Amino acid sequence: MTHTLEYSANVSPPKAKHLLSRICKDCLPTRTRLRNHFVQCQEECPLCSQVPEEEWHLLVECEGSREAWSVMGLEQILTPRLQSCNNIQELIFDICCRESKEVAGKMALLMWVLWQNRNNFVWHETRISARQAGLQAMSMWEDWIQVNGQVVTTNKAGQQQHVAHVNEQQQPPRYSYLKCNVDASFLGTTNATGSGWCFRDNQGRFLLAGSNVILGRLNTIEGEAVAMKEAISEAIQRGFTHVIFESDSQILIDAISSRQQGYSTFSPLISNIRSLLSLVPNFELFD
């Protein structure tokens, strides 16, 4: 199991790797485990108060946790294993052994967020929804990849390999193409999210830009998606026919490019972006 944990360590924060280690060593202090060690505490799950709290329930089944897996893009990874895996350790081991390092890292980070959400409720009486937990894990994953300057790819032989993340936003587009960069911003402690976009020609000269403020604190990926949607709509309205749209969110680009249909509340926005892109054949995405 140590090798399995090391497998996901390079593409997930140390705190997520540490949590997997505690789970696999049977030392995560769930209420069931505390009771087995003669600690006087309630046995029911603190989030739902329906069943005894143990790892499988908390991280897979409790209070819509499946939605968090779906938002993180791991629903299709989890579903086939619900019947074949007998406990959380088997689930972790199977995913780490059979899936990519990227998937293993995302799983580790999602479990950390779910466990943190549980602890926040137990000790501080604050909690977020399963959807928010998934979005938080997705945002943390994106930040981790950007900070560490690497992404995980699969070569034609099916082998996993790390490649350096190259920031190509300053490179000009192909001849006759425009380039549009999109981004999201968060306005201090206010309950608002900013989105913006900027068009340049193939020589890097500024053409036009726009921005918007949305009431409500969106997740980083949601903010990027809103900015992307607004930029594509603007390009269509202005009659642009050859545009490369860039975002620094690998997760957003993957979600738009994927043929899989999601089932989270984030999915309609992605579907809308896909529909807009389909209207103009020479609109492209780049991260």
Side-chain angles (χ1 to χ4, degrees):
M1 183 63 72
T2 301
H3 174 73
T4 300
L5 299 180
E6 291 295 338
Y7 182 77
S8 65
N10 293 333
V11 287
S12 62
K15 59 188 178 184
K17 174 193 172 185
H18 178 65
L19 177 67
L20 290 195
S21 177
R22 296 178 70 190
I23 294 173
C24 293
K25 293 178 180 178
D26 289 327
C27 61
L28 195 68
T30 60
R31 287 182 168 181
T32 299
R33 181 161 290 108
L34 292 174
R35 290 278 294 239
N36 290 338
H37 287 78
F38 309 105
V39 176
Q40 297 301 313
C41 65
Q42 294 181 344
E43 189 176 28
E44 290 75 18
C45 171
L47 298 179
C48 69
S49 301
Q50 298 295 319
V51 299
E53 183 195 46
E54 48 82 31
E55 292 95 335
W56 181 275
H57 167 76
L58 179 66
L59 301 175
V60 177
E61 297 178 340
C62 180
E63 288 289 291
S65 294
R66 290 280 296 278
E67 184 179 2
W69 285 76
S70 178
V71 172
M72 193 66 172
L74 299 175
E75 175 70 15
Q76 293 186 341
I77 300 299
L78 174 65
T79 301
R81 294 176 166 89
L82 293 179
Q83 300 301 322
S84 60
C85 296
N86 296 317
N87 52 54
I88 196 70
Q89 289 88 352
E90 287 187 11
L91 177 67
I92 292 172
F93 183 80
D94 195 60
I95 290 177
C96 288
C97 287
R98 298 179 184 274
E99 304 295 338
S100 68
K101 291 184 178 181
E102 179 181 8
V103 168
K106 286 181 177 180
M107 173 201 65
L109 192 50
L110 176 62
M111 287 186 174
W112 183 88
V113 170
L114 292 173
W115 177 247
Q116 188 72 11
N117 188 40
R118 176 265 190 199
N119 288 338
N120 286 338
F121 185 68
V122 170
W123 300 110
H124 307 294
E125 297 185 351
T126 61
R127 60 186 295 187
I128 57 178
S129 68
R131 172 180 175 272
Q132 290 172 320
L135 291 173
Q136 179 180 334
M138 187 162 57
S139 178
M140 292 174 65
W141 168 260
E142 181 72 14
D143 292 342
W144 171 257
I145 290 298
Q146 291 180 7
V147 169
N148 284 271
Q150 59 181 7
V151 296
V152 181
T153 62
T154 304
N155 60 26
K156 293 183 179 179
Q159 298 173 330
Q160 298 299 320
Q161 55 186 6
H162 288 271
V163 296
H165 177 75
V166 181
N167 185 354
E168 301 187 33
Q169 292 188 349
Q170 302 305 319
Q171 295 184 8
R174 300 190 299 275
Y175 178 75
S176 78
Y177 272 79
L178 304 179
K179 177 177 287 190
C180 178
N181 293 94
V182 305
D183 203 358
S185 61
F186 302 93
L187 309 180
T189 59
T190 62
N191 189 33
T193 302
S195 62
W197 44 264
C198 177
F199 286 88
R200 292 183 172 85
D201 64 17
N202 65 337
Q203 296 184 20
R205 294 175 298 197
F206 172 81
L207 294 179
L208 69 149
S211 62
N212 190 22
V213 176
I214 304 166
L215 294 180
R217 185 81 176 184
L218 300 181
N219 176 269
T220 303
I221 311 303
E222 288 179 312
E224 291 273 347
V226 169
M228 179 69 75
K229 176 178 175 293
E230 292 177 349
I232 297 173
S233 298
E234 184 71 20
I236 293 174
Q237 292 177 9
R238 292 181 176 270
F240 296 158
T241 58
H242 292 70
V243 183
I244 297 174
F245 295 92
E246 285 192 352
S247 168
D248 57 8
S249 172
Q250 177 75 40
I251 292 177
L252 174 62
I253 300 300
D254 289 345
I256 298 172
S257 303
S258 173
R259 296 182 179 180
Q260 298 178 0
Q261 182 64 40
Y263 298 98
S264 69
T265 54
F266 178 61
S267 301
L269 182 56
I270 296 299
S271 296
N272 198 336
I273 294 174
R274 290 173 182 164
S275 297
L276 290 173
L277 287 171
S278 68
L279 297 176
V280 185
N282 292 311
F283 280 1
E284 301 179 11
L285 295 176
F286 196 84
D287 65 88

